[in-house]
Amino acid sequence: MSPCPVYLFRSPAFAPSGDTVVSLAPLDRVVAVYGGGGIWGEGGLSSAFGGVAVFKNDTSGERFVGVWGSRNAARFRRELQAHMPTAIHKEAPDARLVFRQAEGERPEKAGRS
């Protein structure tokens, strides 16, 4: 099996600051790691990280899924690397964001009301 391409880049699409870290991999490789939960099911990517981002290459139809936020992105890469060889690409794939979902609200930081 060839190494799984894992994309690591910054995107303006996830926060007002416009500098959010995003990490993506091809859909089939991510589903292989998250088993029956796939992307949205119990035990899937969305439940493991509290959200999911889906990118699509309009020409080839290839889909990439992943997470955003530096901690989530690092954990996502570690979990993929634990299951298969990976190749990190420090750039966005040739694809556009087509969907993102975040579950629930962010917890308040201590000291904020």
Side-chain angles (χ1 to χ4, degrees):
M1 177 184 273
S2 63
C4 173
V6 178
Y7 297 90
L8 177 63
F9 59 99
R10 293 189 176 271
S11 172
F14 295 87
S17 67
D19 199 25
T20 302
V21 174
V22 179
S23 191
L24 305 171
L27 174 65
D28 61 330
R29 301 288 186 100
V30 174
V31 170
V33 170
Y34 288 90
I39 298 173
W40 287 281
E42 187 172 327
L45 187 65
S46 183
S47 67
F49 289 92
V52 65
V54 179
F55 284 67
K56 179 181 176 188
N57 177 300
D58 291 326
T59 303
S60 69
E62 185 175 15
R63 287 184 167 78
F64 303 88
V65 296
V67 298
W68 62 94
S70 56
R71 289 182 188 166
N72 281 347
R75 190 175 122 214
F76 176 72
R77 291 189 311 277
R78 278 193 313 272
E79 290 178 3
L80 289 176
Q81 290 167 340
H83 290 86
M84 66 188 72
T86 61
I88 305 298
H89 299 271
K90 293 187 176 183
E91 62 189 5
D94 183 17
R96 65 182 177 86
L97 177 66
V98 293
F99 180 81
R100 74 176 174 144
Q101 175 205 14
E103 296 178 0
E105 298 288 323
R106 290 187 103 168
E108 294 247 62
K109 289 188 178 183
R112 286 177 35 187
S113 50

